[in-house]
Amino acid sequence: MPVHGNLATMSLTEILQWLGNAGKTGTLSIERNKVVKRILVREGRVIACASQEPADMLGHFLVSRGKISEETLRKALGLQETQRLHLGRILVATGALSEDDLRLLLEDKAQETIFGLFDWNDAEFRFAEGETADPNIFAVNMRVEDILLRGAQRWDEMQRFRTVFNDPGIVLCRTARMPPAEVFRNRMARRIFESINGERTVAEILLHAHGSEYLVTKFLYELHRAGVAEVAGVKHVDHEAPSPSAIPVAAEDRAPAVPGPVAVPVAVDSRPREIVAPVATADVRTPSVESVVAEGDLEFARRLLNRGEFDSALEILDRAYKAQPGDEALRRLLAEAEASFVEKAYRHYLPPSKIVTLQRAAETLTAERLSPTEFFLLSRIDGTWDVKSIIQITPLREVDVLRTLKRMREKGLIELKDPVAVSA
C-alpha cells in the first residue's frame, strides 16, 4: 500500500529501517521546498537514487569539488542541448574528466544525495511499492544499516556545526592566521576559503561554492574552530525558497515518476535513533490546502493564471505551498504556473540571448538590501554572459533565477542588451 507523511512526524531513520526490515521494493520520494529526491530500494537494499537538489546535480557537484569551472559547465551544457548526451560523457569527450574520475564522482554524488536527506527535518515523503526501472539513474548497492549509521553521524555533526552557524545571515571574515597548506591544494576548499571576504553571508557562500549545505558548513566550521575565520556580524537575509536548477539536466539526474500517495504512517520525533518498524494507518489524509490557505486564494490564483498574470499567481501559490506542500492539486497548479511564467519570461522579460549588464556601478550596490541570490547573480554579471548562460551556472531552479532577474531589472539594478551592441 502506498504511504505518505512528513519527516517531522516520522523520521528518515524510521522510514529506511522499515523499508530494510520489511524487505520492501519501490521508490521513496522526499520533497522539501520544491526539491524532490528519490531513493529506489529492492528487497530492502538501496539500489539507486535521483535528485533535483542543485548541489546533487552532476554539473554543480563537479564545480563544488573544483573538478570543472563554471565556464566549463556552461560550455558543456551548451553542447548537451545539441548532442543530447549524458553530461558526464560530454565532459569526458572534451577532456575535462577522465572515465575513472567520472565513475568515482558519480558514486560520490549518489551517496551525497542519500546522506543529504538526513539534514531534512521537515519534508513530505511518499513511498510507492513496485519495481522502477530507469537506466539513466546511477546505480548503487547500499545496506540500510550502513546508511543509518553514517546518516546518524552526519546528523550529529550538523547539530555541532549549527552551534556556530545558526543563522544564514552570519558574515565571516578572515583572521591573520593562515589555513593549512592543503586548503590551497584542494580546489573546493580554496574556493570556499576565498569566498570569505567580510561581506558575504553564509547563505551567499553556499551559492558561491555550488556545494551541499553539509560540506560547505563543515569546512566553514573547521576554519572557525582553527581561528582562520571569525564571525564579523549578522545581516538580515530575505528568506527565499532554495530550489534546484532547471537547466538542461544530466540524464542520471532525471527522477522517475512515482504514483500518488494515499495513506500516512504515524510515528514520533525526527532525530535518528533506534526504532520499531512503523505501521501505516489506512487512508488518513492530510487536510486539503483550501482549509489552510485563506479562502478564495487558490481560485484567485487560477483567475490570475487565466489572465496571464503568472508572477502574481506564483506569489499566492508559493504561500499556499509553504502551508501545505503535500497537496497534489496545489503542486499541479504550481507546476503549471511556473511553466507558464518561464515561457512568458523568455518571450517578454528576459530573452535568453540578451546580454545582462549592470545598470549602476558595482560599488553603489553595496547599500542595497539584496538577497543572497541577487548578490550571487550580480557577482556573475560581467557584461559578456547572456541570460541563458547565467541561468546555467546558477545552482537554483530556472524559474527562481528568472523571477529574481526580473525583480532586479524592475529595481533598476540590471539591464539587457543585444549581443551585437555589447560586442561593438
Side-chain angles (χ1 to χ4, degrees), residues 330-351:
L330 170 61
R331 294 171 69 196
R332 288 193 294 270
L333 188 61
L334 184 57
E336 176 189 342
E338 289 185 339
S340 298
F341 173 82
V342 169
E343 193 273 335
K344 184 176 182 179
Y346 281 136
R347 278 192 295 111
H348 297 289
Y349 316 132
L350 298 155

Side-chain angles (χ1 to χ4, degrees), residues 164-179:
V164 177
F165 299 104
N166 55 8
D167 190 310
I170 288 175
V171 177
L172 289 175
C173 65
R174 303 179 203 172
T175 68
R177 182 171 297 180
M178 293 299 293

Side-chain angles (χ1 to χ4, degrees), residues 17 26 37 59 69 130 135 349 385 393 396:
Q17 208 165 47
K37 292 188 181 187
S69 66
Y349 316 132
W385 281 25
I393 58 89
L396 295 168

Side-chain angles (χ1 to χ4, degrees), residues 158-268:
M158 282 301 293
Q159 305 321 299
R160 187 167 70 254
F161 303 157
R162 286 172 179 148
T163 60
V164 177
F165 299 104
N166 55 8
D167 190 310
I170 288 175
V171 177
L172 289 175
C173 65
R174 303 179 203 172
T175 68
R177 182 171 297 180
M178 293 299 293
E182 54 264 29
V183 168
F184 297 100
R185 291 194 292 268
N186 183 300
R187 293 175 66 180
M188 177 184 179
R190 185 175 70 245
R191 182 185 184 89
I192 299 173
F193 174 72
E194 291 175 349
S195 70
I196 300 172
N197 62 0
E199 296 180 359
R200 285 195 181 99
T201 64
V202 170
E204 292 160 18
I205 293 173
L206 281 169
L207 281 174
H208 182 79
H210 294 255
S212 70
E213 180 184 3
Y214 168 77
L215 290 176
V216 176
T217 307
K218 180 178 182 178
F219 183 68
L220 292 177
Y221 178 84
E222 293 300 331
L223 290 179
H224 181 269
R225 191 175 69 164
V228 175
E230 62 184 11
V231 175
V234 181
K235 291 183 181 179
H236 171 79
V237 172
D238 289 331
H239 292 286
E240 304 164 307
S243 36
S245 173
I247 56 180
V249 178
E252 87 286 356
D253 287 321
R254 298 194 184 103
V258 178
V262 298
V264 184
V266 178
V268 288

Side-chain angles (χ1 to χ4, degrees), residues 75-116:
K75 290 179 179 178
L77 289 170
L79 290 173
Q80 189 184 44
E81 286 188 342
T82 57
Q83 298 180 10
R84 301 297 177 185
L85 294 175
H86 184 287
L87 181 63
R89 291 291 156 212
I90 292 174
L91 292 169
V92 169
T94 57
L97 292 176
S98 69
E99 287 277 0
D100 289 342
D101 281 344
L102 176 62
R103 178 179 54 80
L104 293 173
L105 287 163
L106 283 173
E107 185 174 341
D108 287 347
K109 186 180 80 69
Q111 293 188 17
E112 180 61 26
T113 295
I114 295 172
F115 295 126

Side-chain angles (χ1 to χ4, degrees), residues 124-186:
E124 298 291 315
F125 73 84
R126 300 169 183 82
F127 177 74
E129 290 196 71
E131 192 77 38
T132 301
D134 189 335
N136 292 321
I137 296 179
F138 184 75
V140 294
N141 186 8
M142 303 175 68
R143 297 190 317 149
V144 166
E145 293 85 348
D146 295 335
I147 294 173
L148 292 176
L149 177 61
R150 292 183 60 181
Q153 292 171 341
R154 180 171 175 139
W155 192 92
D156 287 336
E157 284 186 286
M158 282 301 293
Q159 305 321 299
R160 187 167 70 254
F161 303 157
R162 286 172 179 148
T163 60
V164 177
F165 299 104
N166 55 8
D167 190 310
I170 288 175
V171 177
L172 289 175
C173 65
R174 303 179 203 172
T175 68
R177 182 171 297 180
M178 293 299 293
E182 54 264 29
V183 168
F184 297 100
R185 291 194 292 268
N186 183 300

